[in-house]
Amino acid sequence: MSNQRGPLKDKRLYSLLLICYFIIYFLAAGLELPLGKLANYLLGISYTLLLIIFGLLNRKKLFSKLSWKDFFVGLILGLAILLAELLILFIFMVINHVHIGSLNTINIMALVKKQPVFMVYVILIAPLLEELVFRQALFVMFYNGIDKVISNKIKPRVIWWLSALLVGLVFGMVHGDSTILPYLLISIYLQGIYHRYKDIRVGMISHFIFNLLTVLLLTMR
């Protein structure tokens, strides 16, 4: 698993990214009651600034050349996420005769309709930042923590799955939806992409495509 931990050469930088991300998240959550929708806009602006600052500090890796093969792999895998989600939702509705939706997605689309500029955050900023925070920084934190405690008792593959599961649970809870299962599965899928291709940007592209297509489908309804 050294290839998963390797990119985090500057542990302080990634630790600071995690701290800033969750401070902003909890501040926005605390301000949601008095400020209402304005808290969401402040969240989006703050996360955008955080991504820009981190990107500049880590520009040598993030802006290095990406092969066309990895680029198209990211596109295809992003489309696969959406198709898999639609298939699962269709099967669930056929079996249970119940239409299900995402409360988080509904709220986001309401914001997008009122302020179309917010679409930039949903489609571009959120996927890039979330891959850095969850699939990279938080995963490494969990993996290293588990590895130190029980490395002699379980195999690295099990540590990977435990870490991916924990990241997925946090990822789901942060999105504040009525169910975290879809986010858990998507998170593990994206974690697998990072593990397979060793480049966080492949997962970023997949996440971007998934969000883009989701927003486009919902706006056409």
Side-chain angles (χ1 to χ4, degrees):
M1 291 301 299
S2 59
N3 50 25
Q4 287 273 335
R5 290 176 285 179
L8 304 192
K9 293 180 180 179
D10 192 340
K11 293 182 180 180
R12 292 182 180 179
L13 182 60
Y14 280 86
S15 296
L16 183 60
L17 175 66
L18 273 177
I19 293 170
C20 290
Y21 182 91
F22 284 105
I23 286 177
I24 293 171
Y25 173 81
F26 286 114
L27 283 177
L31 293 172
E32 188 172 3
L33 186 60
L35 298 182
K37 299 298 182 181
L38 180 59
N40 292 315
Y41 297 129
L42 292 176
L43 179 76
I45 293 172
S46 299
Y47 278 164
T48 301
L49 292 174
L50 180 62
L51 178 63
I52 292 173
I53 294 171
F54 183 84
L56 291 174
L57 293 174
N58 203 27
R59 59 186 178 276
K60 288 185 179 180
K61 181 170 184 61
L62 293 177
F63 297 116
S64 61
K65 186 177 180 180
L66 180 69
S67 70
W68 282 106
K69 178 183 177 181
D70 286 345
F71 177 78
F72 284 113
V73 165
L75 292 179
I76 294 170
L77 293 176
L79 178 61
I81 304 175
L82 181 64
L83 293 176
E85 182 183 54
L86 292 175
L87 179 61
I88 292 172
L89 291 176
F90 176 76
I91 294 173
F92 183 89
M93 287 187 290
V94 170
I95 294 175
N96 296 279
H97 304 287
V98 176
H99 175 74
I100 58 174
S102 167
L103 180 61
N104 178 63
T105 302
I106 292 172
N107 291 335
I108 288 176
M109 291 308 300
L111 287 172
V112 168
K113 289 180 180 179
K114 290 183 179 179
Q115 296 291 338
V117 70
F118 197 73
M119 188 180 296
V120 177
Y121 169 77
V122 175
I123 295 174
L124 182 61
I125 304 300
L128 303 186
L129 183 60
E130 287 174 356
E131 289 308 297
L132 290 169
V133 170
F134 293 97
R135 251 60 67 188
Q136 203 167 44
L138 189 61
F139 176 85
V140 170
M141 186 190 76
F142 281 136
Y143 187 94
N144 288 344
I146 297 173
D147 188 37
K148 288 180 180 179
V149 176
I150 52 177
S151 60
N152 296 325
K153 299 179 181 179
I154 58 177
K155 296 180 179 179
R157 182 178 297 181
V158 177
I159 298 177
W160 188 93
W161 277 103
L162 287 174
S163 303
L165 180 62
L166 289 173
V167 170
L169 290 172
V170 176
F171 184 68
M173 289 187 289
V174 163
H175 281 79
D177 216 329
S178 54
T179 176
I180 66 172
L181 182 59
Y183 297 97
L184 173 64
L185 296 176
I186 290 172
S187 179
I188 294 175
Y189 178 85
L190 290 168
Q191 196 69 58
I193 293 176
Y194 180 39
H195 177 66
R196 169 66 177 81
Y197 294 97
K198 313 299 186 292
D199 192 330
I200 195 66
R201 295 172 299 176
V202 178
M204 286 178 171
I205 294 170
S206 298
H207 200 157
F208 161 78
I209 291 298
F210 172 75
N211 281 23
L212 173 64
L213 295 178
T214 299
V215 170
L216 290 177
L217 286 174
L218 291 174
T219 53
M220 291 188 297
R221 290 179 60 180

